Amino acid sequence: MRERLPVWVQARCGMEPRAVVAVGVVLAVAVGFAVQQYGAARPQPVTAPAVLAPAPPPTPPPGAGSGGTGGRIVVDVGGKVRDPGVRRLPGGSRVEDALAAAGGVRPGTDTTGLNRARVLVDGEQVLVGVTVQPAPGGGAASAGGPGPGPLSLGSATAEQLDGLPGVGPVLARHIVEFRTARGGFRAVEDLRQVDGIGERRFAELRKLVRL
């Protein structure tokens, strides 16, 4: 190994065995360090982060379906149905839903004047195939619409009120909602307090309705 060392190293170290060993150790350390640096400088494989799936959309609360108003309503289904009585339905239900909740219409019942697609309001009464109690001294009103006699504000359905002159589906619903909120009408003049009924319209309706 001494013959492989540079001349200047041989001259400086005086070719002493200890000096030769020391130089060899230094060279070995230098080579090892160079190998370590070369390995650290090589590119390392990088693992891509896992892709997270998007969170599912929140589930809508019950009664919040499309077209519904939320909450629940209470309606009275009577007449020629299999199971008449008070029914609690989701907000936004229609007459058809109330009939289904009452077991359906009895066979042979004429429902020509019944609008099954009409949206129900809370506190409404749905009568099927029956005649409303006749007004004193007048004719009778059927369940499909107002008859020749005055219409009872206490029991008329929104569908019957809709048939009065100047009363549409929206105003009929307001009358039923007013009746439900106030616990009924105490006088025909209470119609003036319903949203959408002015003095002119009240003058047209006062002879067509009763308590």
Side-chain angles (χ1 to χ4, degrees), residues 8-26:
W8 64 272
V9 174
Q10 297 179 19
R12 188 161 185 175
C13 296
M15 301 303 293
E16 294 183 3
R18 289 186 300 176
V20 174
V21 173
V23 172
V25 171
V26 172

Side-chain angles (χ1 to χ4, degrees), residues 39-105:
R42 296 180 61 186
Q44 300 294 328
V46 178
T47 304
V51 179
L52 299 179
T59 304
S66 57
T69 58
R72 301 185 70 82
I73 59 174
V74 180
V75 296
D76 182 12
V77 187
K80 296 182 179 180
V81 291
R82 299 181 185 276
D83 187 17
V86 176
R87 296 290 181 270
R88 289 170 173 79
L89 303 172
S93 297
R94 301 179 183 270
V95 172
E96 180 68 17
D97 301 321
L99 298 180
V105 179

